[in-house]
Amino acid sequence: MATFHSQHSTFHHISEITGSLFLTSAYGVNSPTALRAKGITCIINITLSFQSPTPKMRDMEFVRIAVDDIPTAQLGVHFDRIADKIHAVKKNGGKTVVHCYAGRSRSASAVIAYLMKYEHMSLKQAHSHVRSRRAVIRPNPGFWKQLITYEHRLYGKNSVKMIYTPAGAIPDIYAHEMKNFVPL
């Protein structure tokens, strides 16, 4: 039970990625007090289900990107829009929190895209940075492919590539995790 509670808390924690950018789960944005304590002024919701803001949060800006967490979902078409919004909020002195259901795949992918575009990080660097701030991130393989395409569009080269394993396609930065994998 302690492990569940620990994981549960990790997913719902509002993780600071940069001074003006945070990443969390859908439950992590349910506390207006916590959001205000961090100075958050904009919430980007990347889920299929939308919950209306509570009355206490009416002054908070909300952006909704309706994308499912499946490898065939087209999140990449929203990378520029999301990154540009995060950047605009920062330029205006605000702070943004990005969330999906678990704060692990969709929202992590969007935050990584922002770091590539505006913080001039490679995909490998951006993933490493976000994972160091929120260890539970794990973009799905389809989002990885879209991030790889996005990195190539931004920089004309790639720092990560997909490899094929008995478990399916994975980014090469996860290859070390597959070393002891035994297919069932």
Side-chain angles (χ1 to χ4, degrees), residues 47-71:
T47 66
L48 289 180
S49 60
F50 179 71
Q51 299 169 345
S52 321
T54 63
K56 293 179 186 175
M57 296 173 61
R58 293 261 182 241
D59 60 333
M60 187 87 53
E61 184 176 3
F62 285 84
V63 176
R64 172 113 189 292
I65 307 290
V67 174
D68 201 356
D69 186 15
I70 56 173

Short mmCIF file of all heavy atoms in Angstrom, two decimals, residues 47-71:
data_model
loop_
_atom_site.label_atom_id
_atom_site.label_comp_id
_atom_site.label_asym_id
_atom_site.label_seq_id
_atom_site.Cartn_x
_atom_site.Cartn_y
_atom_site.Cartn_z
N THR A 47 -6.44 16.39 -22.68
CA THR A 47 -7.22 15.18 -22.42
C THR A 47 -8.43 15.18 -23.33
O THR A 47 -8.74 16.19 -23.97
CB THR A 47 -7.72 15.11 -20.96
OG1 THR A 47 -8.65 16.17 -20.74
CG2 THR A 47 -6.58 15.20 -19.95
N LEU A 48 -9.14 14.08 -23.33
CA LEU A 48 -10.39 14.02 -24.07
C LEU A 48 -11.55 14.51 -23.24
O LEU A 48 -12.56 14.96 -23.75
CB LEU A 48 -10.68 12.59 -24.55
CG LEU A 48 -9.76 12.10 -25.67
CD1 LEU A 48 -10.13 10.68 -26.05
CD2 LEU A 48 -9.83 13.02 -26.88
N SER A 49 -11.41 14.43 -21.91
CA SER A 49 -12.50 14.89 -21.04
C SER A 49 -12.13 16.24 -20.46
O SER A 49 -11.01 16.46 -20.03
CB SER A 49 -12.74 13.89 -19.91
OG SER A 49 -11.57 13.75 -19.14
N PHE A 50 -13.09 17.12 -20.48
CA PHE A 50 -12.83 18.48 -19.98
C PHE A 50 -13.68 18.73 -18.76
O PHE A 50 -14.89 18.50 -18.77
CB PHE A 50 -13.17 19.52 -21.05
CG PHE A 50 -12.95 20.92 -20.58
CD1 PHE A 50 -11.67 21.40 -20.39
CD2 PHE A 50 -14.01 21.75 -20.32
CE1 PHE A 50 -11.45 22.70 -19.95
CE2 PHE A 50 -13.82 23.05 -19.88
CZ PHE A 50 -12.53 23.52 -19.71
N GLN A 51 -13.04 19.18 -17.70
CA GLN A 51 -13.77 19.58 -16.50
C GLN A 51 -13.78 21.09 -16.46
O GLN A 51 -12.77 21.73 -16.70
CB GLN A 51 -13.07 19.04 -15.25
CG GLN A 51 -12.99 17.54 -15.22
CD GLN A 51 -12.05 17.05 -14.12
OE1 GLN A 51 -11.27 17.80 -13.58
NE2 GLN A 51 -12.15 15.79 -13.81
N SER A 52 -14.93 21.66 -16.18
CA SER A 52 -15.01 23.12 -16.09
C SER A 52 -14.19 23.60 -14.91
O SER A 52 -14.11 22.92 -13.90
CB SER A 52 -16.44 23.59 -15.85
OG SER A 52 -17.34 22.85 -16.56
N PRO A 53 -13.62 24.78 -15.06
CA PRO A 53 -12.88 25.34 -13.94
C PRO A 53 -13.81 25.59 -12.76
O PRO A 53 -14.98 25.91 -12.95
CB PRO A 53 -12.32 26.64 -14.48
CG PRO A 53 -13.09 26.93 -15.72
CD PRO A 53 -13.65 25.63 -16.22
N THR A 54 -13.27 25.44 -11.59
CA THR A 54 -14.06 25.73 -10.40
C THR A 54 -14.29 27.23 -10.34
O THR A 54 -13.50 27.99 -10.90
CB THR A 54 -13.34 25.25 -9.12
OG1 THR A 54 -12.13 26.00 -9.01
CG2 THR A 54 -13.04 23.78 -9.14
N PRO A 55 -15.32 27.68 -9.66
CA PRO A 55 -15.57 29.13 -9.58
C PRO A 55 -14.38 29.91 -9.06
O PRO A 55 -14.15 31.04 -9.46
CB PRO A 55 -16.76 29.23 -8.62
CG PRO A 55 -17.43 27.91 -8.72
CD PRO A 55 -16.35 26.90 -9.01
N LYS A 56 -13.58 29.31 -8.18
CA LYS A 56 -12.42 30.00 -7.61
C LYS A 56 -11.32 30.22 -8.65
O LYS A 56 -10.37 30.91 -8.40
CB LYS A 56 -11.84 29.19 -6.45
CG LYS A 56 -12.74 29.09 -5.26
CD LYS A 56 -12.07 28.26 -4.19
CE LYS A 56 -13.01 28.02 -3.04
NZ LYS A 56 -12.47 27.13 -2.05
N MET A 57 -11.43 29.57 -9.82
CA MET A 57 -10.36 29.65 -10.81
C MET A 57 -10.81 30.34 -12.09
O MET A 57 -10.17 30.20 -13.12
CB MET A 57 -9.85 28.23 -11.12
CG MET A 57 -9.22 27.57 -9.93
SD MET A 57 -8.79 25.84 -10.22
CE MET A 57 -7.64 25.97 -11.54
N ARG A 58 -11.85 31.09 -12.05
CA ARG A 58 -12.39 31.73 -13.27
C ARG A 58 -11.38 32.70 -13.90
O ARG A 58 -11.45 32.96 -15.08
CB ARG A 58 -13.70 32.44 -12.96
CG ARG A 58 -14.81 31.48 -12.62
CD ARG A 58 -15.70 31.23 -13.81
NE ARG A 58 -16.78 30.33 -13.44
CZ ARG A 58 -16.98 29.16 -13.99
NH1 ARG A 58 -16.21 28.74 -14.94
NH2 ARG A 58 -17.99 28.39 -13.60
N ASP A 59 -10.46 33.26 -13.10
CA ASP A 59 -9.48 34.19 -13.65
C ASP A 59 -8.28 33.49 -14.26
O ASP A 59 -7.40 34.12 -14.82
CB ASP A 59 -9.03 35.17 -12.57
CG ASP A 59 -8.38 34.47 -11.37
OD1 ASP A 59 -8.71 33.30 -11.12
OD2 ASP A 59 -7.57 35.12 -10.70
N MET A 60 -8.25 32.17 -14.19
CA MET A 60 -7.17 31.37 -14.76
C MET A 60 -7.46 31.16 -16.25
O MET A 60 -8.60 30.91 -16.63
CB MET A 60 -7.13 30.02 -14.03
CG MET A 60 -5.98 29.14 -14.38
SD MET A 60 -4.48 29.41 -13.42
CE MET A 60 -5.01 29.30 -11.73
N GLU A 61 -6.45 31.27 -17.09
CA GLU A 61 -6.64 31.01 -18.52
C GLU A 61 -6.58 29.50 -18.76
O GLU A 61 -5.71 28.81 -18.22
CB GLU A 61 -5.55 31.71 -19.31
CG GLU A 61 -5.73 31.58 -20.79
CD GLU A 61 -4.71 32.36 -21.60
OE1 GLU A 61 -3.80 32.98 -21.01
OE2 GLU A 61 -4.83 32.33 -22.83
N PHE A 62 -7.50 28.99 -19.57
CA PHE A 62 -7.54 27.56 -19.89
C PHE A 62 -7.40 27.36 -21.38
O PHE A 62 -8.03 28.06 -22.17
CB PHE A 62 -8.88 26.95 -19.45
CG PHE A 62 -8.99 26.75 -17.97
CD1 PHE A 62 -9.38 27.79 -17.16
CD2 PHE A 62 -8.68 25.53 -17.40
CE1 PHE A 62 -9.48 27.63 -15.79
CE2 PHE A 62 -8.77 25.36 -16.03
CZ PHE A 62 -9.17 26.40 -15.23
N VAL A 63 -6.56 26.41 -21.75
CA VAL A 63 -6.41 26.01 -23.15
C VAL A 63 -6.69 24.52 -23.19
O VAL A 63 -6.17 23.77 -22.37
CB VAL A 63 -4.98 26.30 -23.67
CG1 VAL A 63 -4.81 25.79 -25.09
CG2 VAL A 63 -4.67 27.79 -23.57
N ARG A 64 -7.49 24.10 -24.13
CA ARG A 64 -7.85 22.69 -24.23
C ARG A 64 -7.36 22.13 -25.55
O ARG A 64 -7.62 22.69 -26.61
CB ARG A 64 -9.37 22.55 -24.14
CG ARG A 64 -9.84 21.15 -24.44
CD ARG A 64 -10.42 20.50 -23.21
NE ARG A 64 -10.68 19.09 -23.40
CZ ARG A 64 -11.60 18.59 -24.20
NH1 ARG A 64 -12.37 19.37 -24.91
NH2 ARG A 64 -11.75 17.28 -24.29
N ILE A 65 -6.64 21.02 -25.47
CA ILE A 65 -6.19 20.28 -26.65
C ILE A 65 -6.77 18.88 -26.49
O ILE A 65 -6.33 18.12 -25.61
CB ILE A 65 -4.63 20.21 -26.71
CG1 ILE A 65 -3.98 21.59 -26.60
CG2 ILE A 65 -4.19 19.46 -27.97
CD1 ILE A 65 -4.16 22.51 -27.76
N ALA A 66 -7.75 18.53 -27.30
CA ALA A 66 -8.42 17.23 -27.18
C ALA A 66 -7.66 16.17 -27.98
O ALA A 66 -7.80 16.07 -29.19
CB ALA A 66 -9.86 17.33 -27.66
N VAL A 67 -6.82 15.42 -27.27
CA VAL A 67 -6.01 14.36 -27.88
C VAL A 67 -6.03 13.16 -26.95
O VAL A 67 -5.88 13.31 -25.74
CB VAL A 67 -4.55 14.83 -28.12
CG1 VAL A 67 -3.68 13.68 -28.62
CG2 VAL A 67 -4.51 15.99 -29.10
N ASP A 68 -6.19 11.97 -27.53
CA ASP A 68 -6.17 10.74 -26.75
C ASP A 68 -4.71 10.28 -26.56
O ASP A 68 -3.84 10.66 -27.34
CB ASP A 68 -6.96 9.65 -27.50
CG ASP A 68 -7.43 8.53 -26.58
OD1 ASP A 68 -7.10 8.53 -25.37
OD2 ASP A 68 -8.14 7.65 -27.08
N ASP A 69 -4.49 9.46 -25.55
CA ASP A 69 -3.14 8.92 -25.30
C ASP A 69 -3.00 7.56 -25.97
O ASP A 69 -2.94 6.53 -25.32
CB ASP A 69 -2.88 8.81 -23.79
CG ASP A 69 -1.43 8.41 -23.50
OD1 ASP A 69 -0.59 8.49 -24.43
OD2 ASP A 69 -1.16 7.99 -22.36
N ILE A 70 -2.99 7.58 -27.29
CA ILE A 70 -2.77 6.37 -28.08
C ILE A 70 -1.71 6.70 -29.13
O ILE A 70 -1.60 7.86 -29.55
CB ILE A 70 -4.07 5.86 -28.74
CG1 ILE A 70 -4.71 6.93 -29.62
CG2 ILE A 70 -5.05 5.36 -27.68
CD1 ILE A 70 -5.90 6.45 -30.44
N PRO A 71 -0.90 5.72 -29.53
CA PRO A 71 0.19 6.00 -30.46
C PRO A 71 -0.24 6.63 -31.79
O PRO A 71 0.55 7.34 -32.41
CB PRO A 71 0.82 4.62 -30.69
CG PRO A 71 0.53 3.88 -29.41
CD PRO A 71 -0.85 4.35 -29.01
#
